[in-house]
Amino acid sequence: MSGFIRFVMISCIAFTISFAFYLFFSYLSIFPTLDNQMGLNILLISLTITILMFAKKQFPINHPIISRLLELGIVIFVLLIAGIFFQLFPLVWRNALFVCLSGFLTYIGVMVVAYIGNLLSAQEINSVIAKKKRRMTDE
């Protein structure tokens, strides 16, 4: 799968998970009620995070822990800045904590879905290779 398509897919997954978390926290009256503008804001935030993640991938960061921490930092930074810019929530510690928590959980969710996708792709590739090997040995 090309890098661009992979990032579009990840962006869709991130949007879906973010939307679900926002609905959940909205239901608990932690975040304001979800409306059309808020849905658009969540989409813009997801796209911004995806673009910054794609830009980060252009730099050679070989250490996996540093890479993941940088990605998580991008998520939290964009969420907090967007929260201030779009006036999504009153900037108090309680709200910032829930925004960071939802960002962290969304990041983990996206990583898990991407990992499962990679495992399934690897299994499919290995299956095709095994079939070709069997066909070659049968000939």
Side-chain angles (χ1 to χ4, degrees), residues 47-101:
L47 290 173
T48 301
I49 290 170
T50 302
I51 290 167
L52 290 174
M53 294 287 196
F54 184 77
K56 181 215 141 267
K57 291 285 184 192
Q58 306 312 309
F59 296 100
I61 301 172
N62 296 327
H63 197 281
I65 293 175
I66 292 173
S67 180
R68 297 295 177 238
L69 287 175
L70 184 58
E71 289 173 355
L72 188 56
I74 289 170
V75 169
I76 301 302
F77 176 77
V78 170
L79 286 175
L80 291 176
I81 295 301
I84 294 167
F85 181 76
F86 291 128
Q87 298 176 350
L88 301 179
F89 52 86
L91 192 58
V92 295
W93 285 106
R94 179 176 181 256
N95 290 347
L97 177 68
F98 282 105
V99 167
C100 291
L101 177 64

